[in-house]
Amino acid sequence: MNEPPLLGVPPITQAHPGIDRLGARCRIDPSVSVLRYGSNRPALLLEDDVSLYAWCRLVLGNPGEDPRIGIRIGARTIVNVGCYLSGEGGLEIGPDVLIGPHVKLLSAGHQVDGGERRINRNAITRAPVRVGEGAWIAAGAIVLPGVTIGEGAVVAAGSVVRRDVPPETIAAGVPARLLRRRNAASPGLLRRLLQRLR
């Protein structure tokens, strides 16, 4: 008996332009684009069973400019449609992560003070972004340079994250604030956690 086709799911592929290493059974939509130039240093690595859905953009620039430049995506991670993943300052996504549609993970920006009046002439600023195993970053969230999202953490849809989100914690808002621990942690535990982060 023939199984019905998987509609809307990217095909399994053996290679994709700009990606240095693909694990087994990776699914990448043909519309996924990679921005890179200059050095051929291996800088874009996907482990087994990673899925990149339609119209995702992965940005490295020139991997030879800085040793931090790179994107590594862990096994079984799903990156939904229209996401922007910046590896210009380093981006590491753990296994079993869910990244919702139109999420932006930004590891680089532009110097705004002390340089040229024209921002596009100023130096690029870089700070790595890390997303821990089993985290969920919901639709439209933006994670700014230097942020770590802990294992099992949840970032609510539309949030702008400028500070670390501890493991097993839910963050939401603009700017994102820590709401609570997952699994109904006691209020005292959350209060102590918030005091440590201030």
Side-chain angles (χ1 to χ4, degrees):
M1 177 179 254
N2 289 341
E3 291 190 29
L6 293 172
L7 298 177
V9 176
I12 292 176
T13 184
Q14 304 300 316
H16 192 84
I19 297 178
D20 299 301
R21 192 186 81 209
L22 280 175
R25 299 170 307 278
C26 286
R27 294 180 173 273
I28 303 176
D29 190 90
S31 65
V32 169
S33 64
V34 176
L35 172 64
R36 68 182 297 170
Y37 52 86
S39 170
N40 289 324
R41 175 179 68 81
L44 184 44
L45 313 170
L46 277 58
E47 295 181 9
D48 295 346
D49 300 299
V50 169
S51 295
L52 301 177
Y53 279 72
W55 305 113
C56 289
R57 176 84 153 160
L58 290 73
V59 178
L60 296 173
N62 181 354
E65 285 181 357
D66 191 295
R68 293 173 289 185
I69 295 173
I71 298 174
R72 183 182 191 103
I73 302 178
R76 299 169 304 281
T77 286
I78 296 172
V79 181
N80 215 315
V81 298
C83 289
Y84 184 94
L85 307 182
S86 161
E88 298 149 292
L91 174 59
E92 187 168 335
I93 301 171
D96 300 304
V97 171
L98 296 175
I99 299 179
H102 304 286
V103 165
K104 296 169 183 65
L105 304 179
L106 308 174
S107 66
H110 288 277
Q111 175 185 331
V112 296
D113 293 317
E116 289 268 344
R117 204 166 113 199
R118 293 167 289 183
I119 295 295
N120 67 342
R121 302 282 173 103
N122 287 343
I124 291 178
T125 58
R126 305 176 196 276
V129 169
R130 294 181 179 86
V131 181
E133 180 177 358
W136 175 26
I137 303 175
I142 300 172
V143 177
L144 297 178
V147 168
T148 294
I149 308 295
E151 292 184 10
V154 174
V155 174
S159 298
V160 176
V161 186
R162 58 184 185 156
R163 291 161 70 179
D164 291 353
V165 178
E168 300 284 330
T169 301
I170 300 171
V174 179
R177 300 198 189 305
L178 303 179
L179 299 182
R180 64 177 175 88
R181 295 270 298 171
R182 289 180 53 205
N183 302 318
S186 72
L189 177 61
L190 182 57
R191 188 170 43 255
R192 290 192 301 277
L193 183 65
L194 291 172
Q195 287 171 342
R196 272 193 296 172
L197 294 172
R198 289 188 185 139

